[in-house]
């Protein structure tokens, strides 16, 4: 069956991707022992890129690109105008709401009190008025969601980013970000709460849905970057580092909560 061949092809790509991920740490170790070029210009370029396992990263990038093609039908189903688009939006909103406690913790750890206040408000408002996060009521009043993770917290604390990594499924990262992603599965307040309540079986399905939701959300931008670039891999690496720099310097404070602006709701959308 054609569908069976597609599924097996996807499985082989996934297996290759996961095998590459297991080689990443070993490759980093080897790269740390590798000598840099003697030529000053070449040496400066290698240090600037900080991508010692680029061949492996490019393999993972290619596999991730093919996985996005497999997910294209889901992306089309979830797009605006689809009959199931409202359901897809509701699932997305719930997943974003479940991220808020961890975002709140990272905001506090980074000393960003206004951002922490925004995360807390979003979680409280959307969990109640938004019916468990199905509706993003807080966004209608100017308090939109913002991303903040343990990798960014480590960056604020002065931990170096380390070499660039392309993670299977999850996409661009670095050693600091990968360590932060791994830590999130251990310290996420929602996961801890579910486990304490005896609902441990729900933790991994939620994590899988969250990874799928992030992939679907990022897919259009990644495809556009790949189409408009001579080297999609290099363009994504550059964009990732630029976004990381901006994220570390962003106070993530909504305008409606800034000094002099608190209590002034945004125009409610229909």
């Amino acid at each position: 069956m054609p569908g069976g061949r597609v599924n097996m092809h996807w499985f082989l790509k996934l297996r290759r991707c996961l095998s590459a991920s297991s080689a990443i740490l070993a490759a980093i170790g080897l790269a740390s022992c590798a000598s840099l070029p003697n030529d000053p210009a070449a040496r400066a370029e290698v240090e600037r890129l900080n991508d010692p396992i680029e061949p492996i990263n490019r393999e993972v990038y290619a596999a991730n690109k093919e996985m996005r093609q497999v997910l294209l039908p889901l992306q089309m189903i979830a797009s605006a105008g689809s009959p199931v688009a409202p359901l897809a939006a509701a699932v997305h909103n719930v997943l974003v709401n479940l991220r808020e406690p961890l975002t709140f913790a990272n905001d506090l750890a980074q000393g960003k009190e206004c951002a922490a206040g925004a995360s807390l408000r979003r979680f409280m408002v959307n969990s109640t008025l938004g019916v468990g996060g199905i509706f993003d009521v807080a966004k209608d009043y100017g308090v939109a969601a913002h991303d903040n993770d343990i990798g960014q917290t480590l960056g604020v604390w002065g931990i170096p980013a380390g070499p660039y990594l392309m993670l299977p499924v999850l996409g661009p990262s670095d050693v600091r970000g990968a360590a932060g992603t791994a830590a999130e599965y251990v310290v996420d307040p929602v996961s801890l709460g579910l486990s304490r309540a005896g609902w441990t079986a729900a933790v991994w399905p939620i994590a899988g849905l969250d990874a799928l939701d992030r992939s679907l959300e990022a897919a259009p931008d990644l495809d556009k970057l790949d189409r408009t670039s001579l080297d999609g891999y290099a363009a994504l690496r550059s964009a990732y580092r630029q976004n990381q720099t901006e994220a570390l310097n962003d106070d993530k404070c909504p305008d409606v909560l800034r000094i002099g602006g608190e209590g002034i709701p945004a125009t409610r959308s229909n």
Side-chain angles (χ1 to χ4, degrees):
M1 294 176 60
R5 287 197 296 271
V6 171
N7 290 338
M8 179 57 68
H9 183 64
W10 179 87
F11 172 76
L12 292 174
K13 286 295 182 181
L14 177 60
R15 186 175 67 176
R16 186 181 72 178
C17 217
L18 295 177
S19 298
S21 68
S22 66
I24 282 178
L25 293 179
I28 292 175
L30 292 174
S32 64
C33 299
S35 58
L36 294 173
N38 293 325
D39 179 69
R43 185 187 185 99
E45 180 65 8
V46 169
E47 292 177 342
R48 183 184 69 83
L49 294 177
N50 197 14
D51 189 0
I53 57 169
E54 182 174 341
I56 295 177
N57 282 335
R58 284 186 178 273
E59 282 290 313
V60 178
Y61 171 82
N64 285 349
K65 183 178 176 180
E66 293 200 21
M67 287 183 197
R68 291 203 305 274
Q69 296 303 310
V70 175
L71 295 177
L72 185 59
L74 283 178
Q75 183 182 339
M76 296 176 64
I77 291 174
S79 62
S82 167
V84 299
L87 176 60
V91 172
H92 169 76
N93 289 340
V94 170
L95 292 171
V96 171
N97 194 53
L98 290 176
R99 297 174 200 158
E100 295 294 353
L102 183 59
T103 300
F104 169 74
N106 281 297
D107 289 336
L108 285 182
Q110 296 174 24
K112 297 176 178 177
E113 294 86 357
C114 179
S119 298
L120 182 60
R121 290 187 186 207
R122 282 186 52 80
F123 186 69
M124 294 177 65
V125 169
N126 288 344
S127 296
T128 53
L129 299 179
V131 194
I134 293 176
F135 304 103
D136 194 348
V137 179
K139 182 179 179 180
D140 292 338
Y141 288 95
V143 187
H146 65 270
D147 286 328
N148 207 346
D149 54 41
I150 294 179
Q152 293 179 26
T153 297
L154 295 175
V156 171
W157 289 356
I159 305 299
Y164 179 74
L165 298 177
M166 180 63 65
L167 300 180
V169 182
L170 300 179
S173 185
D174 46 48
V175 172
R176 182 181 67 203
T181 299
E184 288 179 358
Y185 288 106
V186 179
V187 302
D188 177 34
V190 171
S191 298
L192 293 175
L194 290 173
S195 298
R196 179 174 287 272
W199 297 345
T200 306
V203 172
W204 289 110
I206 291 175
L209 278 175
D210 184 67
L212 177 61
D213 179 66
R214 290 174 182 266
S215 296
L216 292 175
E217 188 176 24
D221 290 336
L222 292 175
D223 290 337
K224 180 179 179 180
L225 184 66
D226 191 67
R227 290 195 308 269
T228 57
S229 305
L230 294 176
D231 185 347
Y233 173 82
L236 180 58
R237 179 177 58 195
S238 177
Y240 169 78
R241 286 175 169 158
Q242 180 179 348
N243 289 339
Q244 284 295 295
T245 300
E246 293 175 354
L248 291 178
N249 295 326
D250 187 359
D251 64 6
K252 300 178 173 66
C253 180
D255 291 339
V256 73
L257 298 185
R258 295 185 185 279
I259 301 298
E262 187 165 354
I264 305 176
T267 301
R268 187 177 180 85
S269 59
N270 296 321

